Amino acid sequence: MPDAGGQRGYKEYKEEILVGDCVAEMAALPAESVDLIFADPPYNLQLGGELLRPNNSRVDGVEEEWDRFDGFAEYDRFTRAWLEAARRLLKPDGALWVIGSYHNIYRVGSQLQDLGFWILNDIVWRKSNPMPNFRGRRFTNAHETLLWCARSAEARYTFNYEAMKALNDELQMRSDWLIPLCSGPERLKRDGKKAHPTQKPEALLHRILLASTKPGDLVLDPFFGTGTTGAVAKRLNRRFIGIERDADYAGLARKRIAAVEPVPAESTLLPAKREEPRIPFGTLVERGLLKPGTVLFDASRRFTAKVRADGTLISAETRGSIHRVGAEVQGAPACNGWVFWHFLDRGRPVAIDVLRQKVRAEMGTAH
């Protein structure tokens, strides 16, 4: 139910698709109520005439009225209006993603900075199956650009670094993403033709929402189209509001999202290491998991160090923390001592991090 001011409380929203102009609909939502905004606005492609393949077959392009603007000034006014509305809705620690091509993303980026957003990354979505340049007069347009922005430079935005690393086979996720265009069964069709000309792949939204939201967060998509953001949000146990001015697109989105089954809540996100309790190495000594005098060694058994009663190590003339001693024996600028140092457990070498995880598990059980 709306509150006295005519706005709904944001906690009421779980799955909501609003039909209408995005700026007007955003004005009716409560301020500072949204955790994340994903925006796929019109690109203002400025296309002139039909595009034909070498065999004279017609390429399905973006010819809809919603992508037509009377020059850059009109597009800039439109961009500023929806960005201002979006900024009002974001929580102080909220963030915004916007996707575009060379036609519009630089104009959008300039206004983002003018309005006080803090750009965190520009992500290159590299398409593994881009449409070729049929006329042979330019390079093939094989990517689009995403801007990820915090509401301000001081915002404590969400970034699930460990989840992104896990998604990338334990390698730090880079800012160039190789993801195919939306195709096959995922591509919605009507009468054998694409239902929407710019439907984004669910894999792209999966990565964005997994990276920058938590289960239960409220995600807003002001250019909802056929509901990719909503489908992925529901699957990952995020709440969403979609705004779409075309009633036909909104109808397709509702039908699509109704068929989505959320995954089990415990499967939606890996815990971030920064949220785990900090366990000093000395705790292992205090608890008797490693006794003073125990000899630790690296995986290759090239270096050794002894555990001291105060939770430090000593190796030859080097004394200090597990990290400092590990770095100095290698002549390295830094070292993660938890994975560098090992001990013998029933005759086999085991990283001391196993003992840290054991203590964490006990602390979790206690709570």
Side-chain angles (χ1 to χ4, degrees):
M1 294 293 293
D3 61 24
Q7 295 180 333
R8 292 179 59 172
Y10 73 90
K11 290 184 179 178
E12 296 181 47
Y13 291 104
K14 184 176 181 182
E15 297 179 19
E16 191 82 20
I17 301 177
L18 308 173
V19 179
D21 174 77
C22 70
V23 175
E25 294 295 334
M26 282 193 280
L29 298 175
E32 298 188 356
S33 61
V34 174
D35 297 288
L36 187 82
I37 294 174
F38 172 79
D40 182 11
Y43 287 8
N44 189 26
L45 294 177
Q46 312 135 45
L47 297 179
E50 290 187 334
L51 179 60
L52 301 177
R53 296 183 177 89
N55 64 2
N56 285 327
S57 61
R58 184 173 176 276
V59 176
D60 290 331
V62 182
E63 301 175 332
E64 280 73 9
E65 181 271 335
W66 48 257
D67 193 56
R68 296 175 187 158
F69 294 86
D70 186 19
F72 289 131
E74 182 187 351
Y75 186 78
D76 290 347
R77 285 192 293 271
F78 161 79
T79 299
R80 189 172 189 89
W82 75 258
L83 282 176
E84 287 178 336
R87 185 172 178 79
R88 186 186 72 85
L89 293 181
L90 279 176
K91 294 178 181 178
D93 291 334
L96 177 146
W97 288 80
V98 59
I99 186 170
S101 66
Y102 70 87
H103 303 86
N104 72 321
I105 199 65
Y106 303 107
R107 309 190 77 84
V108 173
S110 175
Q111 297 211 37
L112 281 167
Q113 292 181 317
D114 288 347
L115 289 171
F117 286 93
W118 187 256
I119 296 178
L120 301 167
N121 276 116
D122 61 330
I123 304 291
V124 174
W125 167 30
R126 190 159 58 94
K127 303 170 186 178
S128 59
N129 53 344
M131 184 175 69
N133 185 271
F134 295 113
R135 293 174 179 169
R137 298 173 62 186
R138 303 185 186 183
F139 296 108
T140 296
N141 291 323
H143 78 277
E144 294 182 28
T145 300
L146 297 111
L147 299 179
W148 176 35
C149 317
R151 192 177 186 273
S152 69
E154 297 76 30
R156 300 185 64 178
Y157 56 90
T158 295
F159 179 44
N160 299 313
Y161 169 81
E162 296 297 335
M164 290 296 95
K165 189 175 178 181
L167 196 66
N168 197 40
D169 286 340
E170 296 304 322
L171 295 174
Q172 188 177 71
M173 183 76 75
R174 291 162 40 125
S175 62
D176 53 334
W177 298 354
L178 182 63
I179 297 174
L181 286 165
C182 182
S183 60
E186 185 184 328
R187 169 67 78 170
L188 300 185
K189 293 187 177 181
R190 286 189 296 195
D191 302 322
K193 297 181 178 180
K194 296 176 183 177
H196 193 290
T198 63
Q199 181 181 337
K200 296 299 182 288
E202 290 190 6
L204 185 68
L205 270 298
H206 180 100
R207 189 172 296 186
I208 289 169
L209 296 189
L210 194 67
S212 51
T213 62
K214 303 182 185 74
D217 276 358
L218 181 60
V219 180
L220 170 68
D221 185 336
F223 306 99
F224 203 54
T226 52
T228 301
T229 301
V232 176
K234 181 178 179 181
R235 185 174 296 116
L236 295 178
N237 291 290
R238 276 68 167 165
R239 298 175 297 132
F240 71 85
I241 303 171
I243 302 174
E244 174 52 52
R245 73 178 192 175
D246 187 305
D248 289 340
Y249 288 158
L252 286 169
R254 287 193 181 95
K255 183 178 179 181
R256 174 187 184 182
I257 293 167
V260 172
E261 290 291 334
V263 300
E266 65 273 13
S267 303
T268 55
L269 186 64
L270 296 175
K273 285 189 177 178
R274 76 184 69 177
E275 296 175 358
E276 296 176 342
R278 181 178 178 274
I279 309 296
F281 177 72
T283 301
L284 308 187
V285 181
E286 289 175 337
R287 294 195 176 200
L289 296 173
L290 286 174
K291 292 182 171 55
T294 299
V295 176
L296 303 182
F297 49 89
D298 68 301
S300 66
R301 302 202 182 215
R302 182 181 174 190
F303 306 107
T304 60
K306 283 187 179 181
V307 177
R308 305 177 77 204
D310 61 359
T312 59
L313 300 185
I314 181 169
S315 177
E317 298 302 316
T318 301
R319 300 182 183 185
S321 72
I322 57 172
H323 311 298
R324 179 186 169 190
V325 174
E328 291 203 15
V329 297
Q330 298 177 86
C335 172
N336 182 347
W338 290 109
V339 296
F340 179 76
W341 295 112
H342 293 63
F343 68 103
L344 279 179
D345 181 19
R346 287 170 287 190
R348 63 187 184 91
V350 178
I352 60 174
D353 194 45
V354 169
L355 299 178
R356 179 173 63 159
Q357 297 307 325
K358 180 180 179 180
V359 173
R360 278 187 175 145
E362 291 172 355
M363 293 175 66
T365 302
H367 284 82

